Amino acid sequence: GQNIDQPTEMTATEGAIVQINCTYQTSGFNGLFWYQQHAGEAPTFLSYNVLDGLEEKGRFSSFLSRSKGYSYLLLKELQMKDSASYLCAVRVAGFQKLVFGTGTRLLVSP
Amino acid sequence: DAGITQSPRHKVTETGTPVTLRCHQTENHRYMYWYRQDPGHGLRLIHYSYGVKDTDKGEVSDGYSVSRSKTEDFLLTLESATSSQTSVYFCAISDFGTDNYGYTFGSGTRLTVV
C-alpha cells in the first residue's frame, strides 16, 4: 500500500522560515513532488526531487532522503501570499501517477 | 492560455441522476487523470487514462466511469449521483516521459449532490 504523512496545519510569521515535512511508505519510488494550493484554486507545481539532496528554487527548497522515506519543503522569507496548502506527492515506480498526502495548511500571520 | 480546461466549474444535481464532467487539454499529453478532493482525505485518484480508449481504475473508482475517445478529452461520469460524491473534482494531465513537472491541473469542478 501507499502511505504519505504530512502535518495537517502549521502557522508561521511573515519573514520567518518554515519547514514542512513529509514521510512516505510506498511500494517503489520514482520521484517526489511538492505542490502549492491556494484556497479554491488548483494545485500548482513547486518542486521535484528524485535523487537525495536539496533542490533550491528561489525562496523555496525541497530536500529528499530516499533511505529514510523523508522529504521537506523549506520556505524562506515568508510572505502573506504563502498562506496556502502544500501537498506532498509520490510517483510510484512503474506507474505514471501520483499518490498524494492529505496536505499541510500553512497560515502566515503578520 | 490554459492548456487544460474543465467544465462545468460548478454543478448542483439531485441524488440518482447521472452527471458527466468534461476535461479538455490542448497539450497533447498522453496521460489524463480524475481526482476528487475532500477535507481530511486530500486528492484521491478516481480513474486515469494512458491513451485513447486506454483507462484504468484508481483507489476510489466505485460509482464512476470514464471515457477517452480522443487524446484531448477525458470524461468522468457519475452513473447515479449520491451525496457522498459531493466533492471538488480535479482533472490533471502529465507527460512524465518528457518533463519533471508531474501534473498540470485543471481549475476544478465543484459538484454538489442534493
Side-chain angles (χ1 to χ4, degrees), chain B residues 19 21 34-38 44-47 56-67 75-89 111 113:
Chain B
V19 177
L21 309 183
W34 278 107
Y35 283 81
R36 60 178 291 175
Q37 187 173 40
D38 305 287
R44 293 180 292 173
L45 183 64
I46 304 171
H47 282 280
D56 206 350
K57 294 179 180 180
E59 60 179 308
V60 291
S61 60
D62 286 349
Y64 301 95
S65 62
V66 290
S67 66
L75 304 180
L76 176 72
T77 297
L78 287 66
E79 310 286 350
S80 175
T82 68
S83 58
S84 65
Q85 294 176 311
T86 292
S87 186
V88 179
Y89 291 85
L111 177 68
V113 183

PDB file of all heavy atoms in Angstrom, chain B residues 19 21 34-38 44-47 56-67 75-89 111 113:
ATOM      1  N   VAL B  19     -24.367  12.262 -14.067  1.00  0.00           N
ATOM      2  CA  VAL B  19     -23.652  13.526 -14.254  1.00  0.00           C
ATOM      3  C   VAL B  19     -22.365  13.235 -15.027  1.00  0.00           C
ATOM      4  O   VAL B  19     -21.686  12.243 -14.743  1.00  0.00           O
ATOM      5  CB  VAL B  19     -23.255  14.149 -12.890  1.00  0.00           C
ATOM      6  CG1 VAL B  19     -22.446  15.418 -13.098  1.00  0.00           C
ATOM      7  CG2 VAL B  19     -24.496  14.427 -12.053  1.00  0.00           C
ATOM      8  N   LEU B  21     -18.730  15.050 -16.222  1.00  0.00           N
ATOM      9  CA  LEU B  21     -17.776  16.154 -16.159  1.00  0.00           C
ATOM     10  C   LEU B  21     -16.783  15.992 -17.302  1.00  0.00           C
ATOM     11  O   LEU B  21     -16.369  14.867 -17.625  1.00  0.00           O
ATOM     12  CB  LEU B  21     -17.041  16.148 -14.813  1.00  0.00           C
ATOM     13  CG  LEU B  21     -17.903  16.080 -13.547  1.00  0.00           C
ATOM     14  CD1 LEU B  21     -17.010  16.147 -12.311  1.00  0.00           C
ATOM     15  CD2 LEU B  21     -18.957  17.149 -13.535  1.00  0.00           C
ATOM     16  N   TRP B  34      -8.447  11.794 -13.281  1.00  0.00           N
ATOM     17  CA  TRP B  34      -9.513  12.411 -12.500  1.00  0.00           C
ATOM     18  C   TRP B  34      -9.269  12.112 -11.023  1.00  0.00           C
ATOM     19  O   TRP B  34      -9.108  10.954 -10.630  1.00  0.00           O
ATOM     20  CB  TRP B  34     -10.893  11.877 -12.894  1.00  0.00           C
ATOM     21  CG  TRP B  34     -11.464  12.520 -14.107  1.00  0.00           C
ATOM     22  CD1 TRP B  34     -11.588  11.988 -15.356  1.00  0.00           C
ATOM     23  CD2 TRP B  34     -12.023  13.843 -14.187  1.00  0.00           C
ATOM     24  NE1 TRP B  34     -12.179  12.887 -16.205  1.00  0.00           N
ATOM     25  CE2 TRP B  34     -12.450  14.033 -15.521  1.00  0.00           C
ATOM     26  CE3 TRP B  34     -12.202  14.876 -13.273  1.00  0.00           C
ATOM     27  CZ2 TRP B  34     -13.048  15.218 -15.949  1.00  0.00           C
ATOM     28  CZ3 TRP B  34     -12.788  16.041 -13.698  1.00  0.00           C
ATOM     29  CH2 TRP B  34     -13.205  16.212 -15.019  1.00  0.00           C
ATOM     30  N   TYR B  35      -9.242  13.189 -10.228  1.00  0.00           N
ATOM     31  CA  TYR B  35      -9.105  13.094  -8.785  1.00  0.00           C
ATOM     32  C   TYR B  35     -10.313  13.771  -8.139  1.00  0.00           C
ATOM     33  O   TYR B  35     -10.913  14.678  -8.708  1.00  0.00           O
ATOM     34  CB  TYR B  35      -7.846  13.812  -8.286  1.00  0.00           C
ATOM     35  CG  TYR B  35      -6.554  13.076  -8.498  1.00  0.00           C
ATOM     36  CD1 TYR B  35      -5.909  13.095  -9.734  1.00  0.00           C
ATOM     37  CD2 TYR B  35      -5.952  12.379  -7.450  1.00  0.00           C
ATOM     38  CE1 TYR B  35      -4.706  12.425  -9.917  1.00  0.00           C
ATOM     39  CE2 TYR B  35      -4.740  11.717  -7.630  1.00  0.00           C
ATOM     40  CZ  TYR B  35      -4.133  11.742  -8.854  1.00  0.00           C
ATOM     41  OH  TYR B  35      -2.942  11.081  -9.036  1.00  0.00           O
ATOM     42  N   ARG B  36     -10.599  13.367  -6.912  1.00  0.00           N
ATOM     43  CA  ARG B  36     -11.515  14.117  -6.090  1.00  0.00           C
ATOM     44  C   ARG B  36     -10.773  14.591  -4.850  1.00  0.00           C
ATOM     45  O   ARG B  36      -9.835  13.912  -4.380  1.00  0.00           O
ATOM     46  CB  ARG B  36     -12.757  13.305  -5.712  1.00  0.00           C
ATOM     47  CG  ARG B  36     -12.512  12.030  -4.937  1.00  0.00           C
ATOM     48  CD  ARG B  36     -13.818  11.332  -4.568  1.00  0.00           C
ATOM     49  NE  ARG B  36     -14.579  12.074  -3.576  1.00  0.00           N
ATOM     50  CZ  ARG B  36     -15.790  11.734  -3.153  1.00  0.00           C
ATOM     51  NH1 ARG B  36     -16.402  10.668  -3.650  1.00  0.00           N
ATOM     52  NH2 ARG B  36     -16.421  12.461  -2.237  1.00  0.00           N
ATOM     53  N   GLN B  37     -11.177  15.746  -4.356  1.00  0.00           N
ATOM     54  CA  GLN B  37     -10.510  16.306  -3.192  1.00  0.00           C
ATOM     55  C   GLN B  37     -11.530  16.601  -2.117  1.00  0.00           C
ATOM     56  O   GLN B  37     -12.484  17.362  -2.339  1.00  0.00           O
ATOM     57  CB  GLN B  37      -9.748  17.587  -3.553  1.00  0.00           C
ATOM     58  CG  GLN B  37      -8.896  18.119  -2.413  1.00  0.00           C
ATOM     59  CD  GLN B  37      -8.022  19.284  -2.837  1.00  0.00           C
ATOM     60  OE1 GLN B  37      -8.437  20.156  -3.591  1.00  0.00           O
ATOM     61  NE2 GLN B  37      -6.782  19.311  -2.348  1.00  0.00           N
ATOM     62  N   ASP B  38     -11.328  16.009  -0.968  1.00  0.00           N
ATOM     63  CA  ASP B  38     -12.237  16.163   0.155  1.00  0.00           C
ATOM     64  C   ASP B  38     -11.438  16.495   1.405  1.00  0.00           C
ATOM     65  O   ASP B  38     -10.319  15.995   1.580  1.00  0.00           O
ATOM     66  CB  ASP B  38     -13.012  14.862   0.396  1.00  0.00           C
ATOM     67  CG  ASP B  38     -13.747  14.387  -0.837  1.00  0.00           C
ATOM     68  OD1 ASP B  38     -14.755  15.014  -1.170  1.00  0.00           O
ATOM     69  OD2 ASP B  38     -13.301  13.404  -1.470  1.00  0.00           O
ATOM     70  N   ARG B  44      -7.571  12.125  -4.145  1.00  0.00           N
ATOM     71  CA  ARG B  44      -7.638  10.682  -4.344  1.00  0.00           C
ATOM     72  C   ARG B  44      -7.982  10.374  -5.790  1.00  0.00           C
ATOM     73  O   ARG B  44      -8.900  10.972  -6.361  1.00  0.00           O
ATOM     74  CB  ARG B  44      -8.684  10.062  -3.406  1.00  0.00           C
ATOM     75  CG  ARG B  44      -8.307  10.132  -1.935  1.00  0.00           C
ATOM     76  CD  ARG B  44      -9.376   9.496  -1.062  1.00  0.00           C
ATOM     77  NE  ARG B  44     -10.616  10.280  -1.068  1.00  0.00           N
ATOM     78  CZ  ARG B  44     -11.736   9.883  -0.497  1.00  0.00           C
ATOM     79  NH1 ARG B  44     -11.802   8.703   0.101  1.00  0.00           N
ATOM     80  NH2 ARG B  44     -12.812  10.654  -0.531  1.00  0.00           N
ATOM     81  N   LEU B  45      -7.265   9.421  -6.350  1.00  0.00           N
ATOM     82  CA  LEU B  45      -7.394   9.094  -7.768  1.00  0.00           C
ATOM     83  C   LEU B  45      -8.652   8.267  -8.021  1.00  0.00           C
ATOM     84  O   LEU B  45      -8.881   7.246  -7.376  1.00  0.00           O
ATOM     85  CB  LEU B  45      -6.160   8.320  -8.233  1.00  0.00           C
ATOM     86  CG  LEU B  45      -6.103   7.953  -9.710  1.00  0.00           C
ATOM     87  CD1 LEU B  45      -6.043   9.197 -10.584  1.00  0.00           C
ATOM     88  CD2 LEU B  45      -4.887   7.058  -9.977  1.00  0.00           C
ATOM     89  N   ILE B  46      -9.445   8.721  -8.994  1.00  0.00           N
ATOM     90  CA  ILE B  46     -10.680   8.014  -9.358  1.00  0.00           C
ATOM     91  C   ILE B  46     -10.400   7.070 -10.531  1.00  0.00           C
ATOM     92  O   ILE B  46     -10.617   5.857 -10.453  1.00  0.00           O
ATOM     93  CB  ILE B  46     -11.790   9.008  -9.738  1.00  0.00           C
ATOM     94  CG1 ILE B  46     -12.031  10.016  -8.606  1.00  0.00           C
ATOM     95  CG2 ILE B  46     -13.089   8.256 -10.055  1.00  0.00           C
ATOM     96  CD1 ILE B  46     -12.964  11.157  -8.999  1.00  0.00           C
ATOM     97  N   HIS B  47      -9.982   7.642 -11.639  1.00  0.00           N
ATOM     98  CA  HIS B  47      -9.609   6.888 -12.835  1.00  0.00           C
ATOM     99  C   HIS B  47      -8.502   7.655 -13.546  1.00  0.00           C
ATOM    100  O   HIS B  47      -8.356   8.855 -13.365  1.00  0.00           O
ATOM    101  CB  HIS B  47     -10.785   6.775 -13.811  1.00  0.00           C
ATOM    102  CG  HIS B  47     -11.821   5.765 -13.466  1.00  0.00           C
ATOM    103  ND1 HIS B  47     -11.681   4.412 -13.710  1.00  0.00           N
ATOM    104  CD2 HIS B  47     -13.035   5.920 -12.907  1.00  0.00           C
ATOM    105  CE1 HIS B  47     -12.780   3.785 -13.320  1.00  0.00           C
ATOM    106  NE2 HIS B  47     -13.620   4.666 -12.828  1.00  0.00           N
ATOM    107  N   ASP B  56      -7.822   3.087 -16.643  1.00  0.00           N
ATOM    108  CA  ASP B  56      -7.672   2.161 -15.530  1.00  0.00           C
ATOM    109  C   ASP B  56      -8.249   2.797 -14.275  1.00  0.00           C
ATOM    110  O   ASP B  56      -8.396   4.023 -14.197  1.00  0.00           O
ATOM    111  CB  ASP B  56      -6.203   1.808 -15.312  1.00  0.00           C
ATOM    112  CG  ASP B  56      -6.030   0.458 -14.643  1.00  0.00           C
ATOM    113  OD1 ASP B  56      -7.041  -0.129 -14.177  1.00  0.00           O
ATOM    114  OD2 ASP B  56      -4.891  -0.034 -14.567  1.00  0.00           O
ATOM    115  N   LYS B  57      -8.563   1.947 -13.309  1.00  0.00           N
ATOM    116  CA  LYS B  57      -9.194   2.423 -12.089  1.00  0.00           C
ATOM    117  C   LYS B  57      -8.163   2.965 -11.114  1.00  0.00           C
ATOM    118  O   LYS B  57      -7.026   2.486 -11.052  1.00  0.00           O
ATOM    119  CB  LYS B  57      -9.955   1.284 -11.415  1.00  0.00           C
ATOM    120  CG  LYS B  57     -11.134   0.775 -12.212  1.00  0.00           C
ATOM    121  CD  LYS B  57     -11.814  -0.373 -11.480  1.00  0.00           C
ATOM    122  CE  LYS B  57     -12.992  -0.884 -12.283  1.00  0.00           C
ATOM    123  NZ  LYS B  57     -13.677  -2.008 -11.596  1.00  0.00           N
ATOM    124  N   GLY B  58      -8.601   3.937 -10.312  1.00  0.00           N
ATOM    125  CA  GLY B  58      -7.812   4.418  -9.208  1.00  0.00           C
ATOM    126  C   GLY B  58      -8.341   3.838  -7.906  1.00  0.00           C
ATOM    127  O   GLY B  58      -9.065   2.841  -7.899  1.00  0.00           O
ATOM    128  N   GLU B  59      -8.026   4.490  -6.803  1.00  0.00           N
ATOM    129  CA  GLU B  59      -8.371   3.950  -5.491  1.00  0.00           C
ATOM    130  C   GLU B  59      -9.828   4.167  -5.089  1.00  0.00           C
ATOM    131  O   GLU B  59     -10.327   3.479  -4.196  1.00  0.00           O
ATOM    132  CB  GLU B  59      -7.455   4.557  -4.427  1.00  0.00           C
ATOM    133  CG  GLU B  59      -7.535   6.067  -4.328  1.00  0.00           C
ATOM    134  CD  GLU B  59      -6.631   6.651  -3.244  1.00  0.00           C
ATOM    135  OE1 GLU B  59      -6.702   6.185  -2.099  1.00  0.00           O
ATOM    136  OE2 GLU B  59      -5.853   7.575  -3.579  1.00  0.00           O
ATOM    137  N   VAL B  60     -10.540   5.095  -5.734  1.00  0.00           N
ATOM    138  CA  VAL B  60     -11.930   5.381  -5.352  1.00  0.00           C
ATOM    139  C   VAL B  60     -12.818   5.379  -6.591  1.00  0.00           C
ATOM    140  O   VAL B  60     -13.549   6.329  -6.855  1.00  0.00           O
ATOM    141  CB  VAL B  60     -12.047   6.718  -4.577  1.00  0.00           C
ATOM    142  CG1 VAL B  60     -11.415   6.600  -3.210  1.00  0.00           C
ATOM    143  CG2 VAL B  60     -11.429   7.862  -5.365  1.00  0.00           C
ATOM    144  N   SER B  61     -12.801   4.315  -7.342  1.00  0.00           N
ATOM    145  CA  SER B  61     -13.480   4.278  -8.637  1.00  0.00           C
ATOM    146  C   SER B  61     -14.950   3.845  -8.575  1.00  0.00           C
ATOM    147  O   SER B  61     -15.680   4.028  -9.558  1.00  0.00           O
ATOM    148  CB  SER B  61     -12.725   3.348  -9.589  1.00  0.00           C
ATOM    149  OG  SER B  61     -12.671   2.042  -9.051  1.00  0.00           O
ATOM    150  N   ASP B  62     -15.386   3.291  -7.466  1.00  0.00           N
ATOM    151  CA  ASP B  62     -16.773   2.804  -7.391  1.00  0.00           C
ATOM    152  C   ASP B  62     -17.759   3.943  -7.618  1.00  0.00           C
ATOM    153  O   ASP B  62     -17.688   4.991  -6.999  1.00  0.00           O
ATOM    154  CB  ASP B  62     -17.039   2.176  -6.017  1.00  0.00           C
ATOM    155  CG  ASP B  62     -16.380   0.831  -5.873  1.00  0.00           C
ATOM    156  OD1 ASP B  62     -15.893   0.289  -6.893  1.00  0.00           O
ATOM    157  OD2 ASP B  62     -16.352   0.306  -4.747  1.00  0.00           O
ATOM    158  N   GLY B  63     -18.717   3.699  -8.535  1.00  0.00           N
ATOM    159  CA  GLY B  63     -19.733   4.696  -8.830  1.00  0.00           C
ATOM    160  C   GLY B  63     -19.353   5.660  -9.935  1.00  0.00           C
ATOM    161  O   GLY B  63     -20.134   6.536 -10.298  1.00  0.00           O
ATOM    162  N   TYR B  64     -18.148   5.495 -10.489  1.00  0.00           N
ATOM    163  CA  TYR B  64     -17.650   6.376 -11.549  1.00  0.00           C
ATOM    164  C   TYR B  64     -17.233   5.554 -12.767  1.00  0.00           C
ATOM    165  O   TYR B  64     -16.743   4.433 -12.623  1.00  0.00           O
ATOM    166  CB  TYR B  64     -16.420   7.148 -11.084  1.00  0.00           C
ATOM    167  CG  TYR B  64     -16.595   8.021  -9.880  1.00  0.00           C
ATOM    168  CD1 TYR B  64     -16.267   7.537  -8.607  1.00  0.00           C
ATOM    169  CD2 TYR B  64     -17.056   9.326  -9.991  1.00  0.00           C
ATOM    170  CE1 TYR B  64     -16.397   8.339  -7.486  1.00  0.00           C
ATOM    171  CE2 TYR B  64     -17.180  10.138  -8.877  1.00  0.00           C
ATOM    172  CZ  TYR B  64     -16.852   9.632  -7.629  1.00  0.00           C
ATOM    173  OH  TYR B  64     -16.977  10.434  -6.518  1.00  0.00           O
ATOM    174  N   SER B  65     -17.418   6.146 -13.940  1.00  0.00           N
ATOM    175  CA  SER B  65     -16.864   5.563 -15.151  1.00  0.00           C
ATOM    176  C   SER B  65     -16.228   6.693 -15.964  1.00  0.00           C
ATOM    177  O   SER B  65     -16.506   7.872 -15.729  1.00  0.00           O
ATOM    178  CB  SER B  65     -17.945   4.857 -15.976  1.00  0.00           C
ATOM    179  OG  SER B  65     -18.935   5.787 -16.395  1.00  0.00           O
ATOM    180  N   VAL B  66     -15.351   6.316 -16.887  1.00  0.00           N
ATOM    181  CA  VAL B  66     -14.652   7.313 -17.702  1.00  0.00           C
ATOM    182  C   VAL B  66     -14.633   6.858 -19.152  1.00  0.00           C
ATOM    183  O   VAL B  66     -14.840   5.687 -19.469  1.00  0.00           O
ATOM    184  CB  VAL B  66     -13.201   7.547 -17.219  1.00  0.00           C
ATOM    185  CG1 VAL B  66     -13.164   8.269 -15.882  1.00  0.00           C
ATOM    186  CG2 VAL B  66     -12.437   6.233 -17.169  1.00  0.00           C
ATOM    187  N   SER B  67     -14.396   7.837 -20.010  1.00  0.00           N
ATOM    188  CA  SER B  67     -14.179   7.504 -21.414  1.00  0.00           C
ATOM    189  C   SER B  67     -13.195   8.488 -22.014  1.00  0.00           C
ATOM    190  O   SER B  67     -13.163   9.667 -21.643  1.00  0.00           O
ATOM    191  CB  SER B  67     -15.502   7.540 -22.195  1.00  0.00           C
ATOM    192  OG  SER B  67     -16.019   8.850 -22.252  1.00  0.00           O
ATOM    193  N   LEU B  75     -13.660  12.179 -20.121  1.00  0.00           N
ATOM    194  CA  LEU B  75     -14.953  12.405 -19.486  1.00  0.00           C
ATOM    195  C   LEU B  75     -15.095  11.539 -18.236  1.00  0.00           C
ATOM    196  O   LEU B  75     -14.728  10.355 -18.248  1.00  0.00           O
ATOM    197  CB  LEU B  75     -16.092  12.071 -20.455  1.00  0.00           C
ATOM    198  CG  LEU B  75     -16.096  12.795 -21.791  1.00  0.00           C
ATOM    199  CD1 LEU B  75     -17.288  12.347 -22.633  1.00  0.00           C
ATOM    200  CD2 LEU B  75     -16.120  14.298 -21.596  1.00  0.00           C
ATOM    201  N   LEU B  76     -15.631  12.127 -17.195  1.00  0.00           N
ATOM    202  CA  LEU B  76     -15.932  11.394 -15.966  1.00  0.00           C
ATOM    203  C   LEU B  76     -17.442  11.379 -15.782  1.00  0.00           C
ATOM    204  O   LEU B  76     -18.078  12.444 -15.788  1.00  0.00           O
ATOM    205  CB  LEU B  76     -15.277  12.069 -14.759  1.00  0.00           C
ATOM    206  CG  LEU B  76     -15.594  11.461 -13.392  1.00  0.00           C
ATOM    207  CD1 LEU B  76     -14.890  10.112 -13.226  1.00  0.00           C
ATOM    208  CD2 LEU B  76     -15.168  12.412 -12.261  1.00  0.00           C
ATOM    209  N   THR B  77     -18.017  10.182 -15.622  1.00  0.00           N
ATOM    210  CA  THR B  77     -19.460  10.053 -15.442  1.00  0.00           C
ATOM    211  C   THR B  77     -19.779   9.443 -14.092  1.00  0.00           C
ATOM    212  O   THR B  77     -19.208   8.417 -13.722  1.00  0.00           O
ATOM    213  CB  THR B  77     -20.085   9.201 -16.561  1.00  0.00           C
ATOM    214  OG1 THR B  77     -19.887   9.852 -17.820  1.00  0.00           O
ATOM    215  CG2 THR B  77     -21.582   9.014 -16.336  1.00  0.00           C
ATOM    216  N   LEU B  78     -20.667  10.102 -13.383  1.00  0.00           N
ATOM    217  CA  LEU B  78     -21.247   9.525 -12.171  1.00  0.00           C
ATOM    218  C   LEU B  78     -22.538   8.868 -12.611  1.00  0.00           C
ATOM    219  O   LEU B  78     -23.470   9.537 -13.058  1.00  0.00           O
ATOM    220  CB  LEU B  78     -21.536  10.609 -11.140  1.00  0.00           C
ATOM    221  CG  LEU B  78     -20.349  11.246 -10.413  1.00  0.00           C
ATOM    222  CD1 LEU B  78     -19.463  12.047 -11.355  1.00  0.00           C
ATOM    223  CD2 LEU B  78     -20.830  12.113  -9.268  1.00  0.00           C
ATOM    224  N   GLU B  79     -22.584   7.567 -12.506  1.00  0.00           N
ATOM    225  CA  GLU B  79     -23.708   6.818 -13.077  1.00  0.00           C
ATOM    226  C   GLU B  79     -25.031   7.219 -12.445  1.00  0.00           C
ATOM    227  O   GLU B  79     -26.032   7.401 -13.114  1.00  0.00           O
ATOM    228  CB  GLU B  79     -23.466   5.325 -12.884  1.00  0.00           C
ATOM    229  CG  GLU B  79     -22.093   4.829 -13.326  1.00  0.00           C
ATOM    230  CD  GLU B  79     -21.965   4.766 -14.842  1.00  0.00           C
ATOM    231  OE1 GLU B  79     -22.990   4.920 -15.537  1.00  0.00           O
ATOM    232  OE2 GLU B  79     -20.843   4.567 -15.330  1.00  0.00           O
ATOM    233  N   SER B  80     -25.036   7.328 -11.130  1.00  0.00           N
ATOM    234  CA  SER B  80     -26.230   7.688 -10.368  1.00  0.00           C
ATOM    235  C   SER B  80     -25.723   8.426  -9.130  1.00  0.00           C
ATOM    236  O   SER B  80     -25.310   7.802  -8.163  1.00  0.00           O
ATOM    237  CB  SER B  80     -27.012   6.430  -9.985  1.00  0.00           C
ATOM    238  OG  SER B  80     -28.108   6.751  -9.155  1.00  0.00           O
ATOM    239  N   ALA B  81     -25.748   9.744  -9.189  1.00  0.00           N
ATOM    240  CA  ALA B  81     -25.070  10.547  -8.171  1.00  0.00           C
ATOM    241  C   ALA B  81     -25.623  10.299  -6.765  1.00  0.00           C
ATOM    242  O   ALA B  81     -26.839  10.140  -6.559  1.00  0.00           O
ATOM    243  CB  ALA B  81     -25.192  12.021  -8.523  1.00  0.00           C
ATOM    244  N   THR B  82     -24.712  10.256  -5.805  1.00  0.00           N
ATOM    245  CA  THR B  82     -25.078  10.133  -4.392  1.00  0.00           C
ATOM    246  C   THR B  82     -24.457  11.291  -3.618  1.00  0.00           C
ATOM    247  O   THR B  82     -23.498  11.920  -4.066  1.00  0.00           O
ATOM    248  CB  THR B  82     -24.572   8.809  -3.801  1.00  0.00           C
ATOM    249  OG1 THR B  82     -23.139   8.846  -3.756  1.00  0.00           O
ATOM    250  CG2 THR B  82     -25.013   7.618  -4.632  1.00  0.00           C
ATOM    251  N   SER B  83     -24.972  11.538  -2.426  1.00  0.00           N
ATOM    252  CA  SER B  83     -24.482  12.662  -1.626  1.00  0.00           C
ATOM    253  C   SER B  83     -23.003  12.497  -1.277  1.00  0.00           C
ATOM    254  O   SER B  83     -22.282  13.484  -1.100  1.00  0.00           O
ATOM    255  CB  SER B  83     -25.315  12.818  -0.355  1.00  0.00           C
ATOM    256  OG  SER B  83     -25.280  11.629   0.405  1.00  0.00           O
ATOM    257  N   SER B  84     -22.540  11.252  -1.198  1.00  0.00           N
ATOM    258  CA  SER B  84     -21.123  11.006  -0.874  1.00  0.00           C
ATOM    259  C   SER B  84     -20.203  11.417  -2.021  1.00  0.00           C
ATOM    260  O   SER B  84     -18.978  11.459  -1.839  1.00  0.00           O
ATOM    261  CB  SER B  84     -20.899   9.532  -0.539  1.00  0.00           C
ATOM    262  OG  SER B  84     -21.153   8.720  -1.665  1.00  0.00           O
ATOM    263  N   GLN B  85     -20.767  11.700  -3.170  1.00  0.00           N
ATOM    264  CA  GLN B  85     -19.973  12.150  -4.305  1.00  0.00           C
ATOM    265  C   GLN B  85     -19.913  13.677  -4.401  1.00  0.00           C
ATOM    266  O   GLN B  85     -19.299  14.215  -5.338  1.00  0.00           O
ATOM    267  CB  GLN B  85     -20.508  11.542  -5.603  1.00  0.00           C
ATOM    268  CG  GLN B  85     -20.319  10.038  -5.644  1.00  0.00           C
ATOM    269  CD  GLN B  85     -20.916   9.381  -6.877  1.00  0.00           C
ATOM    270  OE1 GLN B  85     -22.075   9.632  -7.243  1.00  0.00           O
ATOM    271  NE2 GLN B  85     -20.148   8.529  -7.543  1.00  0.00           N
ATOM    272  N   THR B  86     -20.504  14.353  -3.447  1.00  0.00           N
ATOM    273  CA  THR B  86     -20.303  15.797  -3.332  1.00  0.00           C
ATOM    274  C   THR B  86     -18.823  16.033  -3.035  1.00  0.00           C
ATOM    275  O   THR B  86     -18.282  15.506  -2.059  1.00  0.00           O
ATOM    276  CB  THR B  86     -21.166  16.374  -2.205  1.00  0.00           C
ATOM    277  OG1 THR B  86     -22.542  16.286  -2.583  1.00  0.00           O
ATOM    278  CG2 THR B  86     -20.806  17.824  -1.925  1.00  0.00           C
ATOM    279  N   SER B  87     -18.171  16.804  -3.893  1.00  0.00           N
ATOM    280  CA  SER B  87     -16.725  16.949  -3.781  1.00  0.00           C
ATOM    281  C   SER B  87     -16.250  17.991  -4.793  1.00  0.00           C
ATOM    282  O   SER B  87     -17.028  18.509  -5.594  1.00  0.00           O
ATOM    283  CB  SER B  87     -16.039  15.599  -4.067  1.00  0.00           C
ATOM    284  OG  SER B  87     -14.650  15.663  -3.844  1.00  0.00           O
ATOM    285  N   VAL B  88     -14.956  18.264  -4.744  1.00  0.00           N
ATOM    286  CA  VAL B  88     -14.314  19.033  -5.802  1.00  0.00           C
ATOM    287  C   VAL B  88     -13.526  18.049  -6.654  1.00  0.00           C
ATOM    288  O   VAL B  88     -12.718  17.272  -6.125  1.00  0.00           O
ATOM    289  CB  VAL B  88     -13.376  20.114  -5.230  1.00  0.00           C
ATOM    290  CG1 VAL B  88     -12.704  20.871  -6.375  1.00  0.00           C
ATOM    291  CG2 VAL B  88     -14.161  21.084  -4.347  1.00  0.00           C
ATOM    292  N   TYR B  89     -13.777  18.090  -7.943  1.00  0.00           N
ATOM    293  CA  TYR B  89     -13.149  17.155  -8.871  1.00  0.00           C
ATOM    294  C   TYR B  89     -12.093  17.888  -9.699  1.00  0.00           C
ATOM    295  O   TYR B  89     -12.367  18.923 -10.300  1.00  0.00           O
ATOM    296  CB  TYR B  89     -14.200  16.540  -9.797  1.00  0.00           C
ATOM    297  CG  TYR B  89     -15.131  15.613  -9.053  1.00  0.00           C
ATOM    298  CD1 TYR B  89     -16.248  16.085  -8.381  1.00  0.00           C
ATOM    299  CD2 TYR B  89     -14.857  14.246  -9.004  1.00  0.00           C
ATOM    300  CE1 TYR B  89     -17.088  15.238  -7.675  1.00  0.00           C
ATOM    301  CE2 TYR B  89     -15.690  13.386  -8.306  1.00  0.00           C
ATOM    302  CZ  TYR B  89     -16.798  13.890  -7.637  1.00  0.00           C
ATOM    303  OH  TYR B  89     -17.620  13.034  -6.941  1.00  0.00           O
ATOM    304  N   LEU B 111     -18.880  19.946  -7.348  1.00  0.00           N
ATOM    305  CA  LEU B 111     -20.136  19.225  -7.547  1.00  0.00           C
ATOM    306  C   LEU B 111     -20.855  19.045  -6.216  1.00  0.00           C
ATOM    307  O   LEU B 111     -20.260  18.575  -5.244  1.00  0.00           O
ATOM    308  CB  LEU B 111     -19.876  17.850  -8.166  1.00  0.00           C
ATOM    309  CG  LEU B 111     -21.101  16.959  -8.362  1.00  0.00           C
ATOM    310  CD1 LEU B 111     -22.013  17.543  -9.431  1.00  0.00           C
ATOM    311  CD2 LEU B 111     -20.685  15.546  -8.737  1.00  0.00           C
ATOM    312  N   VAL B 113     -24.286  17.260  -4.649  1.00  0.00           N
ATOM    313  CA  VAL B 113     -25.387  16.328  -4.889  1.00  0.00           C
ATOM    314  C   VAL B 113     -26.384  16.488  -3.738  1.00  0.00           C
ATOM    315  O   VAL B 113     -26.036  16.277  -2.576  1.00  0.00           O
ATOM    316  CB  VAL B 113     -24.896  14.877  -4.975  1.00  0.00           C
ATOM    317  CG1 VAL B 113     -26.066  13.949  -5.300  1.00  0.00           C
ATOM    318  CG2 VAL B 113     -23.808  14.739  -6.022  1.00  0.00           C
TER     319      VAL B 113
END
